[in-house]
Amino acid sequence: MDDLDTIADSIRRAQRIVILTGAGISTESGIPDFRGPQGVWTKNPDAEKTATLQYYVGDPEVRKKAWRNRVESPLWDAEPNSGHRAIADLEKKAALHTIVTQNIDGLHHRAGSSPEIIVEIHGNVREVKCLGCTWRAPMEEALERVLAGEDDPRCHGCGGILKSATISFGENLVVEDLERSQRAAAGSDLFLAIGSSLGVYPAAALPEVALGAGARLVVMNAEPTPFDRYADAVVRDQLGVVLPKLAELV
Ligand code: NAD
């Protein structure tokens, strides 16, 4: 089923569709991915440290850099693009059961997808959390503290290290989110992997779970992924262009 008409047809017929999205769906909103040709890590491999728990906890300089990056991040001005909106549109037309997103940008919510069907498997940037206790606060408050001169703000409760409420490399996923995603994948009959290099486990295991349960797999990503050879269809076009076309055809 390589052409869009055939994919649209299987979307129409599917009883339980699960979508997994990665950073590639948000690049057209101005948020760079990590591993694509213009990716943050492709351009600067050292940047990976700020997203790795071990370095973040162990090195105050990494934390200071992470807080500067957060203040300057394109995330705060980003708007959903036509790809996010097409996925929200698909929900109205087809049996879309769950959107599992590796993204932390909240753009599926803002594009109008129902919050009940979204699992943010790597957390989100709306809050900061303390690594020492259960204290949480809105991200805005922490950014204001950084702008006011605190280059490594600490928890108001216990003095512990603060970090965005995202899942860093080396950090455990939230068990309920992971189990919900796995159940959704195992119960799906069509699984669409969109804008992900499918290289980050355990999220990348979800297409495996879906295939094991007999689901059809569609991979939509500009670059090859390790799952392309198991997919019923592979689409390499720009997501902001191809997703609206697909949603239109359904
Ligand atoms: P990734 O960086 O590993 O891969 C993104 C893939 O998307 C690349 O293969 C790239 O070729 C493709 N791509 C980029 N723009 C595209 C476009 N317009 N059309 C089609 N394909 C496009 O991303 P990942 O697999 O999601 O893993 C990175 C991790 O980092 C994620 O788990 C996520 O938590 C985090 N992350 C999130 C954001 C965000 O929230 N927007 C941004 C960067 C990284």
Side-chain angles (χ1 to χ4, degrees), residues 20-24 33 35-36 102 191-201 203-205 207-208 211 217-237 239:
L20 169 70
T21 63
D33 58 18
R35 299 179 184 79
Q102 295 177 264
F191 190 98
L192 293 108
I194 300 177
S196 172
S197 58
L198 298 179
V200 180
Y201 278 80
E208 224 166 87
L211 284 169
L217 174 66
V218 175
V219 174
M220 303 180 81
N221 197 60
E223 292 175 294
T225 81
F227 285 89
D228 293 0
R229 60 196 176 116
Y230 307 110
D232 295 277
V234 176
V235 178
R236 294 240 188 277
D237 303 300
L239 293 169

Side-chain angles (χ1 to χ4, degrees), residues 28 31 53 93 121 135 148 151 165 209 229:
E28 289 165 75
I31 306 171
L53 191 67
K93 298 177 162 180
I121 199 161
W135 193 80
D151 52 9
V209 171
R229 60 196 176 116

Side-chain angles (χ1 to χ4, degrees), residues 97-222:
H97 183 269
T98 305
I99 301 169
V100 180
T101 186
Q102 295 177 264
N103 295 342
I104 52 169
D105 54 32
L107 292 181
H108 285 302
H109 290 88
R110 291 191 37 219
S113 291
S114 303
E116 312 85 72
I117 69 163
I118 302 173
V119 184
E120 292 175 306
I121 199 161
H122 292 161
N124 64 70
V125 284
R126 293 185 290 274
E127 283 189 319
V128 286
K129 63 182 177 188
C130 174
L131 297 179
C133 69
T134 54
W135 193 80
R136 283 188 176 235
M139 174 60 82
E140 265 172 33
E141 277 178 27
L143 293 182
E144 275 164 24
R145 287 171 63 187
V146 178
L147 284 169
E150 288 182 62
D151 52 9
D152 180 16
R154 291 307 184 112
C155 171
H156 280 320
C158 74
I161 292 173
L162 294 185
K163 189 180 87 62
S164 66
T166 53
I167 308 292
S168 297
F169 290 92
E171 200 173 0
N172 291 331
L173 269 66
V174 176
V175 175
E176 298 83 63
D177 291 344
L178 180 61
E179 286 178 351
R180 190 178 156 201
S181 305
Q182 285 169 335
R183 272 198 309 275
S188 67
D189 57 359
L190 178 64
F191 190 98
L192 293 108
I194 300 177
S196 172
S197 58
L198 298 179
V200 180
Y201 278 80
L206 295 175
E208 224 166 87
V209 171
L211 284 169
R216 305 190 113 198
L217 174 66
V218 175
V219 174
M220 303 180 81
N221 197 60

